[in-house]
Amino acid sequence: MEQMTPVLVITPHPDDAEGGAGGTIARWARQGRKVVLVVCTNGDKGTSDRSMKPEDLARLREEEQRQAAAVLGISEVVFLRFPDQGLEDCSEFREKLVRQIRLHRPETVVTIDPYRRYIRHRDHFVCGRVTLDAVFPGARDHLSYPAHLQEGLEPHNVREIYLWSSEEPDAFLDISETFSIKMDALYCHASQMKRPRAEREAATRLRYAEVGKKAGVALAEPFKRLELNR
């Protein structure tokens, strides 16, 4: 996993990737891996401020995401701009993700685990599920979205997937050196971060310290890792 290979991170909303995988993203970027972030929705419903217009919130959250990506060292941010709470398990969405996989040709794809039980944000479920379908078999099979071939986008086999927010994590990645970067990036999303940073940071550090014990490191982020046969 220390190879300098591309990473594609697919997040339902602005700020989800920072919360779930920000320390790992920052670590990979600092190792020299190219990290591309695909943001599926515009986050235009993520506020309790009744004076905020959805279009203004979407613009604000996009700018916050750009700032956070710069902090993490992400090379490129792709905004799909589906409406918040509007992701659907459909060919249109799947094609857009297959396109990004074929374009960037990542060894590693990172997204949210779709299988949180009971209460879950529907965008989270749909993003995770459609990402998995886009990786396999969508991006692999040349007859899936054959118009891509005419554009020079060849099929691509992803080697591994990391799922954050999994209820059954089995991979614990060291973020001891990048925890503060993760928090810096998370707090670029000022429209969402209502809890005082010092309070949240202390609680988050304690949680990742417990995860770190599983890997024998100070701090770690938990994931479900899937390895694909090529």
Side-chain angles (χ1 to χ4, degrees), residues 23 38 187:
V38 177
Y187 272 79

Side-chain angles (χ1 to χ4, degrees), residues 78-98:
V78 178
F79 294 99
L80 299 185
R81 299 189 177 100
F82 286 100
D84 197 344
Q85 302 178 25
L87 288 185
E88 298 291 344
D89 186 347
C90 63
S91 186
E92 178 192 5
F93 182 29
R94 196 157 45 251
E95 183 275 333
K96 290 181 183 296
L97 297 187
V98 169

Side-chain angles (χ1 to χ4, degrees), residues 11 13-20 39 61 65 186 189 192-193:
T11 184
H13 308 100
D15 85 86
D16 288 335
E18 288 81 357
V39 185
R61 297 198 68 186
Q65 182 64 85
L186 195 58
H189 297 276
Q192 308 301 301
M193 298 298 112

Side-chain angles (χ1 to χ4, degrees), residues 140-160:
R140 182 199 65 175
D141 294 345
H142 74 278
L143 292 177
S144 296
Y145 309 104
H148 288 182
L149 292 174
Q150 299 172 20
E151 302 174 41
L153 296 177
E154 291 289 329
H156 177 68
N157 291 313
V158 172
R159 184 167 67 87
E160 61 181 358

